[in-house]
Amino acid sequence: MSRRAATAATALLATSLLGLLSPGVASAATPPPTATPPAGTPLTEDATTASSDTVVRADGARTLTLYSGPVRMQRPAASGGAEWVPVDLTLRTDPDGVVRPVAGPHDLTLTPTGPSVRYAGGGSAAVVWPTALPAPRLAANRAVYPQVAPGWSLDVEATRAGFVASIRKDGTPTGPAPALALRGAAEAVPDPALDGRTGMTEAESAVSRVVAAEKPAGAAPVPFDTTVQTTIRNTDTSGEPELRIGSYDGVAVARSYLTWDVAQLAGKPIGSATLEVFQGWSASCKARAWEVRSLNPGAGPIGPALRWANQPAADAVRATSTDTRGNNAACAPGWTSVDVTPLVKEWAAAGTTAGTVQLRATDEKDPLSWKRFGSAESPNVPRLTVTMP
């Protein structure tokens, strides 16, 4: 991905030449990143990157959208050279019988032997199943292999950095759950919780879980997003498809950090700035406040080494919201937006190159404060939309 070492155009072109990519179709959950306002005119392709796009509106104002991860990739164009296509993690069965994403940054394949990924920057990871797996049920970026053992299913989720695999109950088990083992490079395998569960969420149904993700490039990659949590002490969670905030039991607490490349805003007048995140789950439909905070001056780098114990102070509240989505049909999953114009104006005036915010619950001891947002690895990448008059 753009915040990782391996989503350079050269590697993506090589993947395309292997015949592993098809014409890109944007995820239904995330609008095509190059979509413009009806009256807008796109800037030249030079203004398009893997994690940003810019359009010029009819009145001459510019709208810049920055993403916390890659939303597009390059592949060979029919006329020669390269063209941008949206990243689309939707899984489908290709003519050779192998399941692949429509257009993914890495070479992810799902076969009867299990999921495997070859990273664009080199290296690989795989879950090797001891027997032939049944045909999976496909839905968006997920594949479910039912009854891989009596009462257990294997679930695989395609991400922008690799995949997540988990063993879950599927009926009434008649024996122990199969153990998952990841071969090759993995960015994150969750720490065991003190109670023996994964410690990731309030109702984690996976009894075994592994995350295969290409490691981020450098100590402070940009763009970037991640979660720190009191029950996850030694693991980089930036390969996870979710950002988490709040508490699910009044004890465990999670906060999330997002960084964008805002160098091109330096010295520019800012009209407005909006942070948008996709809220996929909440502890209930009851409104619970959450906050966007800026980091204190002199904060250390935000990157794969970030943990709860070494997170920087973030004392200034820049925006609040009580929007709560994802628990049931009454508060269905959806996008949430907050106004962060004053903060982005400060970044532009100061010439900030990497702008970081912290997301956290207002009351971190409230079990109903727990929320999960799509991360840069998910089909719904957090975005910062800035207008410049």
Side-chain angles (χ1 to χ4, degrees):
M1 40 193 320
S2 62
R3 67 183 177 91
R4 299 171 189 270
T7 48
T10 302
L12 295 174
L13 291 173
T15 301
S16 297
L17 292 172
L18 287 172
L20 300 178
L21 298 179
S22 305
V25 179
S27 166
T30 302
T34 52
T36 65
T41 301
L43 287 179
T44 64
E45 188 161 303
D46 289 342
T48 298
T49 73
S51 57
S52 71
D53 54 66
T54 309
V55 297
V56 176
R57 299 191 319 207
D59 60 3
R62 288 195 299 160
T63 298
L64 170 66
T65 303
L66 302 170
Y67 302 86
S68 64
V71 295
R72 62 178 62 80
M73 52 190 283
Q74 286 189 314
R75 69 172 187 186
S79 58
E83 63 179 354
W84 289 108
V85 296
V87 172
D88 186 352
L89 299 177
T90 303
L91 293 173
R92 68 178 185 186
T93 304
D94 285 340
D96 61 1
V98 176
V99 174
R100 300 182 178 93
V102 171
H106 306 283
D107 179 11
L108 172 62
T109 58
L110 280 65
T111 70
T113 61
S116 65
V117 59
R118 287 186 297 164
Y119 300 127
S124 63
V127 171
V128 180
W129 205 255
T131 59
L133 289 167
R137 299 191 301 264
L138 304 180
N141 66 319
R142 296 175 180 270
V144 177
Y145 295 88
Q147 298 297 311
V148 294
W152 302 102
S153 68
L154 170 64
D155 293 14
V156 179
E157 180 177 0
T159 70
R160 292 169 198 263
F163 67 86
V164 177
S166 56
I167 296 293
R168 300 177 185 273
K169 286 186 178 180
D170 185 8
T172 302
T174 60
L180 284 180
L182 191 65
R183 298 182 182 178
E187 178 188 324
V189 178
D191 296 332
L194 296 178
D195 61 3
R197 296 179 298 156
T198 65
M200 299 287 289
T201 71
E202 78 301 334
E204 180 61 69
S205 61
V207 297
S208 182
R209 188 173 185 273
V210 293
V211 178
E214 187 177 45
K215 293 184 178 180
V222 179
F224 183 78
D225 64 23
T226 192
T227 293
V228 296
Q229 190 167 319
T230 55
T231 55
I232 304 174
R233 301 186 182 91
N234 303 310
T235 298
D236 171 22
T237 67
S238 66
E240 292 285 343
E242 293 179 331
L243 300 173
R244 302 178 296 279
I245 65 170
S247 177
Y248 55 80
D249 60 1
V251 179
V253 179
R255 298 170 182 167
S256 290
Y257 292 81
L258 302 93
T259 300
W260 295 274
D261 181 356
V262 297
Q264 58 187 300
L265 301 179
K268 301 289 195 308
I270 304 299
S272 65
T274 303
L275 167 61
E276 296 175 274
V277 289
F278 188 87
Q279 196 170 159
W281 198 91
S282 60
S284 77
C285 284
K286 295 180 179 180
R288 288 296 187 272
W290 53 280
E291 303 170 349
V292 179
R293 296 191 176 205
S294 59
L295 304 190
N296 291 1
I302 302 300
L306 189 68
R307 303 290 185 270
W308 181 268
N310 66 3
Q311 63 179 311
D315 295 332
V317 178
R318 299 307 189 121
T320 61
S321 174
T322 58
D323 195 25
T324 299
R325 301 173 182 266
N327 183 268
N328 57 48
C331 57
W335 287 95
T336 294
S337 63
V338 290
D339 186 351
V340 291
T341 303
L343 174 59
V344 175
K345 283 184 175 180
E346 290 180 17
W347 288 345
T352 301
T353 56
T356 299
V357 297
Q358 180 200 76
L359 305 185
R360 64 192 291 180
T362 299
D363 182 357
E364 295 184 320
K365 295 183 179 180
D366 180 4
L368 296 185
S369 67
W370 189 249
K371 291 179 172 63
R372 305 205 298 261
F373 305 109
S375 77
E377 305 304 336
S378 76
N380 301 293
V381 180
R383 57 200 182 207
L384 180 67
T385 302
V386 183
T387 61
M388 292 170 281

